[in-house]
Amino acid sequence: MVSPAPAKQPVHQEMTPGSFANHLAAFSPLPNATRSVAQSPAYFSKKSPAAAIALQHHFTGGSSNSGGALGFDSPSAAALGIHLHLPGLDGITSSNVRGDEDERRRRIESILDMLRTRPGRVSEESVERLAKRTGLEYLWEGPAGGPRMLSIAGSGVLIDIDFKLGAVSKVGISFLKSPEAPTVPAPRAAAILLRELQPPPGVSAINATLTPFAGHLERLARLDKLSSPGLNCFEAIAGVHASLARVNEWEKRKLRESRGGDDDEQIEREVLCKRSGRPVMHARRRVGLSLEYWMQRRLVAPKEHRRDDVVGATSSNRGGATVAENSTADEESVLWAAVIECEHSPAGIYPSVRVSEDWVSAPVEKVPEQSDMFQVTEGPVIDWLEPSPTLLSESGADAMAVDSGAGSIGKLPD
């Protein structure tokens, strides 16, 4: 009878980090885990969270809620040399978290402030909010939900906007020259504002933005705020326009006398580009005064003239109206213009604003003086003038335009 061979006693070998790594890789719960593990203690890098996760899966059986989980701050993890290190998480404290919250709050407030400056879409509420933001007075007339009118007023300007079914149907604007005189309507400016408040052809009314109208209203409000009792900035700009218009008409008349055969279109363009320019008020979708001084492709004849040349017609039937107002050729051209407005500035640095139409003499042309033998000129010279300064009285009464001198009273406006 053969006696069974004695069973071999299991040999308990001391587990080293390398052998423990082989043991862990052989029974890895991950299906695609690799079987080749480096036999070096460097496998458990102090900066490798993967090794710590693998150890946690091994001791907890893959359960993250097990009570015997190997924590990264436990003595077992410290014995194995495992330490968690994630970039960007060093030095996180409660004060840093609080600072992040403050920064997030500041960003949200900056976004809200930016949204408040956006005028939004054209509606009754948006126009009222825009008038309130510019600092102008506003008043509603008419029942809510029906046809009603919004009046936006300042010390020198009045804008009436009629709403019908939530859309703008009519706009009127008028300027006040003096407290005693009635307001002066500006139909061309009203047409520009109405165009900006209505959607373009082919665009739904819900997509009509209030941004173009907001630009006009902000400029009008700035000029109105610069005005004071006795000083009307709108009247001052109108005086400059009157003087520049006289110069423009004089230059066209002189050029027409010297040329003779040129038509009005060619003379208009030459004065625009080679002389003192062309002043326009409330033109080219801009409310206010502009001085046009250059035109792209000015030597190319407009379409109207080319068509008239073919049929043998002439262009003399323009009715005396300015080309800037009635010519479709200019509307299709690219022009450069300088905007003339009033801005705040200390009176001691720059000359103050003056309410006057006498920036040029009545005949426009300057008469040469015989005593001035050193003056050499070619052709006529424009007789520019220096208007009397507009002074504001110290008591806040109406301003007075008087000659400056030792006996003058009042102060120059800023």
Side-chain angles (χ1 to χ4, degrees):
M1 183 175 184
V2 180
S3 61
K8 294 182 179 181
Q9 297 294 330
V11 180
H12 298 280
Q13 297 180 356
E14 183 179 358
M15 185 175 292
T16 63
S19 61
F20 178 77
N22 289 334
H23 176 73
L24 179 62
F27 297 94
S28 175
L30 301 177
N32 297 325
T34 179
R35 296 288 180 173
S36 59
V37 181
Q39 303 293 328
S40 173
Y43 173 78
F44 296 96
S45 175
K46 295 183 179 181
K47 296 185 179 181
S48 175
I53 295 174
L55 287 174
Q56 182 178 3
H57 276 282
H58 173 72
F59 286 103
T60 63
S63 174
S64 59
N65 299 325
S66 174
L70 180 63
F72 293 108
D73 56 350
S74 63
S76 302
L80 293 176
I82 300 174
H83 299 281
L84 177 62
H85 175 78
L86 295 179
L89 297 181
D90 296 337
I92 292 183
T93 60
S94 59
S95 60
N96 292 343
V97 175
R98 190 180 304 108
D100 294 342
E101 293 179 355
D102 295 340
E103 179 66 22
R104 188 181 300 107
R105 186 180 298 106
R106 284 194 295 268
R107 292 182 180 179
I108 294 176
E109 290 177 356
S110 63
I111 293 175
L112 293 178
D113 293 339
M114 181 183 63
L115 293 177
R116 293 190 190 100
T117 59
R118 299 294 178 90
R121 306 297 178 181
V122 177
S123 64
E124 297 180 0
E125 296 78 8
S126 298
V127 177
E128 177 183 348
R129 185 167 56 250
L130 178 62
K132 184 185 303 183
R133 193 186 72 189
T134 55
L136 298 174
E137 301 291 335
Y138 62 92
L139 176 65
W140 283 102
E141 296 181 7
R148 54 195 313 209
M149 182 178 66
L150 175 63
S151 297
I152 305 175
S155 60
V157 61
L158 174 63
I159 305 174
D160 295 328
I161 305 176
D162 293 344
F163 288 89
K164 187 176 182 181
L165 299 178
V168 178
S169 59
K170 182 181 177 181
V171 176
I173 180 174
S174 56
F175 297 94
L176 180 64
K177 282 193 172 182
S178 62
E180 296 80 11
T183 58
V184 180
R188 297 184 62 187
I192 294 175
L193 296 181
L194 178 61
R195 180 178 179 180
E196 304 295 1
L197 288 172
Q198 290 181 341
V203 178
S204 176
I206 197 174
N207 295 326
T209 178
L210 201 60
T211 303
F213 176 78
H216 297 297
L217 189 61
E218 288 173 355
R219 286 192 297 271
L220 293 174
R222 184 172 64 252
L223 291 176
D224 189 79
K225 292 178 181 179
L226 291 175
S227 302
S228 59
L231 174 62
N232 191 332
C233 292
F234 300 105
E235 189 178 358
I237 294 176
V240 175
H241 174 254
S243 299
L244 294 178
R246 290 204 305 269
V247 174
N248 182 261
E249 293 297 331
W250 175 78
E251 289 179 337
K252 289 190 295 183
R253 184 175 66 254
K254 286 293 185 180
L255 192 59
R256 192 178 294 107
E257 292 174 357
S258 61
R259 298 288 180 85
D262 291 348
D263 56 26
D264 293 342
E265 182 71 26
Q266 294 178 356
I267 292 176
E268 185 79 28
R269 294 191 175 193
E270 184 166 347
V271 171
L272 167 66
C273 299
K274 293 186 176 182
R275 303 300 173 92
S276 300
R278 179 174 62 192
V280 291
M281 181 72 81
H282 311 316
R284 296 187 174 276
R285 302 186 66 174
R286 183 178 184 86
V287 177
L289 175 60
S290 301
L291 181 62
E292 299 174 348
Y293 59 87
W294 188 254
M295 174 187 293
Q296 187 178 11
R297 303 178 63 184
R298 62 181 180 86
L299 300 178
V300 179
K303 297 180 181 179
E304 293 180 355
H305 284 207
R306 291 198 296 266
R307 184 170 59 253
D308 292 345
D309 293 341
V310 173
V311 298
T314 61
S315 59
S316 61
N317 55 352
R318 292 189 176 271
T322 60
V323 180
E325 297 179 4
N326 297 334
S327 177
T328 57
D330 279 4
E331 293 294 334
E332 297 175 356
S333 304
V334 179
L335 283 89
W336 283 260
V339 179
I340 301 177
E341 292 182 344
C342 296
E343 288 292 345
H344 174 76
S345 174
I349 299 179
Y350 297 102
S352 299
V353 61
R354 304 179 186 186
V355 182
S356 176
E357 295 183 359
D358 299 330
W359 293 93
V360 66
S361 62
V364 181
E365 185 176 354
K366 185 176 182 179
V367 179
E369 299 178 0
Q370 297 180 358
S371 59
D372 191 359
M373 62 181 63
F374 298 100
Q375 182 178 2
V376 179
T377 59
E378 296 180 0
V381 180
I382 300 176
D383 188 16
W384 296 104
L385 301 179
E386 187 79 12
S388 300
T390 300
L391 301 178
L392 301 178
S393 60
E394 298 291 346
S395 59
D398 292 345
M400 299 175 59
V402 297
D403 293 334
S404 60
S408 62
I409 59 175
K411 62 177 182 178
L412 295 172
D414 293 332

